[in-house]
Amino acid sequence: MELQPGREAVVRVAVATLWTSPEAVRPIDRPALAARADIAAWISGMDTDQQVGDCVLSQLLLGERVLVTELRPDGWAHVVALEQPAAKLDPRGYPGWLPADQLAPATDVTDTDPLVVDATVTALHAAPGGDVMVPGLVLGTRLTPAGPAVDGWRPVHAPGHADPLWVPAGHAVPVPTTPPSAGEVLAVARRLLDVVYVWGGVTAHGIDCSGLVHLAWRRLGVVLPRDADDQARATTPVPLGAERPGDLYFFARPGRKIHHIGVVTAEPRPDDDRRMLHACYRQRRVLEEQLPAERTATLVGVHRV
């Protein structure tokens, strides 16, 4: 099978980056474009200004479904990321460009009893303990089991690979079937503390504010939109002062759309002391802190998933 416009495909690399256009890609982005994308090398090779370039829209994880809408002769594909809702951009999902060789045609493998990667970073191997076939698999990646565990390894189906590949059994766990508790959400988010801020990032290699929220809930089986303003529309407002850990703070400047989001980590105290965990553009990393005055001045709401 080949990729075709109008048909679904799936991501075949550990992490595929979604770009605004093929022409927006910079020389520094080469490691992210390869058929064996190396996201860790890409991020570590950029300076802090390059890490917030506006050429990146989002990132897609291994096995993530897309609708192919255009194929260019130069090897680029325009897609809609079906598992990243973005109502304001496209009712079907998040649109953008990626290298076509990072995709594989969608197959009819039944996703029964799906697994999710619980390791911060892992890899898929050709055999238990064997050669690495897909490096850089990240937290929150969905996997389809291909049989029972053997000697501490799980066989899984991987797009673009005819034979099952193997992941350490402890690195992949069943996808939760019940709504997560606040404690579970915060535990996932806190595992990403000190991850560098990367515009459009959705991984433990680099992440942005809405990517952190999207990924924390994705790990726990809940699909939230990709961008902060869409996340606000998809969640339920609660009165300011009634927030609980695991709720979401939203921030906007007067007359502007929501531009920032964080996860509430403590109930507010009478002296207006609020705490959140967030991917901070200013400090260029994920951190947990008391809201500084300039954040409190742009706090426009608290919502619950």
Side-chain angles (χ1 to χ4, degrees):
M1 292 176 61
E2 294 183 352
L3 300 177
Q4 293 184 21
R7 292 198 173 178
E8 287 190 21
V10 291
V11 174
R12 63 180 293 167
V13 294
V15 180
T17 300
L18 199 65
W19 306 89
T20 55
S21 73
E23 291 71 31
V25 172
R26 307 156 297 183
I28 195 74
D29 300 322
R30 190 168 291 109
L33 304 174
R36 194 176 166 113
D38 190 339
I39 299 302
W42 171 57
I43 290 173
S44 65
M46 291 189 284
D47 62 33
T48 53
D49 289 336
Q50 290 167 331
Q51 288 171 347
V52 297
D54 58 6
C55 53
V56 174
L57 293 169
S58 187
Q59 291 181 309
L60 287 64
L61 307 186
L62 178 78
E64 198 165 329
R65 294 166 43 247
V66 302
L67 175 67
V68 178
T69 56
E70 182 182 345
L71 290 170
R72 288 196 352 182
D74 61 359
W76 282 87
H78 188 270
V79 303
V80 173
L82 299 173
E83 297 173 51
Q84 296 191 22
K88 67 181 183 296
L89 300 174
D90 190 311
R92 300 170 295 181
Y94 215 109
W97 293 88
L98 46 71
D101 60 5
Q102 294 185 346
L103 297 173
T107 61
D108 295 326
V109 173
T110 304
D111 193 19
T112 54
D113 302 318
L115 304 171
V116 62
V117 171
D118 190 48
T120 307
V121 182
T122 188
L124 297 182
H125 299 251
D131 293 340
V132 171
M133 302 300 290
V134 183
L137 223 62
V138 295
L139 178 76
T141 302
R142 290 276 286 254
L143 297 171
T144 301
V150 177
D151 296 330
W153 291 79
R154 289 290 305 256
V156 296
H157 297 289
H161 296 267
D163 297 324
L165 300 181
W166 297 78
V167 63
H171 290 184
V173 299
V175 174
T177 56
T178 56
S181 67
E184 289 172 321
V185 170
L186 285 173
V188 173
R190 284 188 171 124
R191 290 172 60 187
L192 298 164
L193 280 167
D194 290 322
V195 169
V196 298
Y197 185 102
V198 172
W199 184 268
V202 190
T203 79
H205 299 299
I207 204 161
D208 67 15
C209 65
S210 54
L212 174 68
V213 170
H214 176 84
L215 184 63
W217 266 268
R218 175 192 280 216
R219 159 61 188 89
L220 297 166
V222 177
V223 176
L224 287 182
R226 173 61 183 87
D227 289 345
D229 51 344
D230 289 322
Q231 290 169 346
R233 283 188 282 270
T235 50
T236 303
V238 298
L240 202 60
E243 61 263 37
R244 304 191 303 239
D247 289 342
L248 301 170
Y249 283 135
F250 289 94
F251 302 85
R253 297 179 184 89
R256 305 289 292 276
K257 73 174 187 175
I258 287 168
H259 68 270
H260 191 62
I261 184 173
V263 183
V264 179
T265 59
E267 294 185 4
R269 289 190 276 203
D271 55 356
D272 210 28
D273 177 13
R274 293 184 162 92
R275 295 189 64 82
M276 72 172 176
L277 188 152
H278 63 133
C280 180
Y281 179 93
R282 295 168 186 163
Q283 299 194 40
R284 303 293 170 89
R285 63 185 177 91
V286 178
L287 57 97
E288 183 177 349
E289 64 176 352
Q290 179 180 342
L291 265 63
E294 62 269 22
R295 284 285 184 210
T296 300
T298 58
L299 178 61
V300 294
V302 55
H303 290 213
R304 189 163 294 156
V305 176

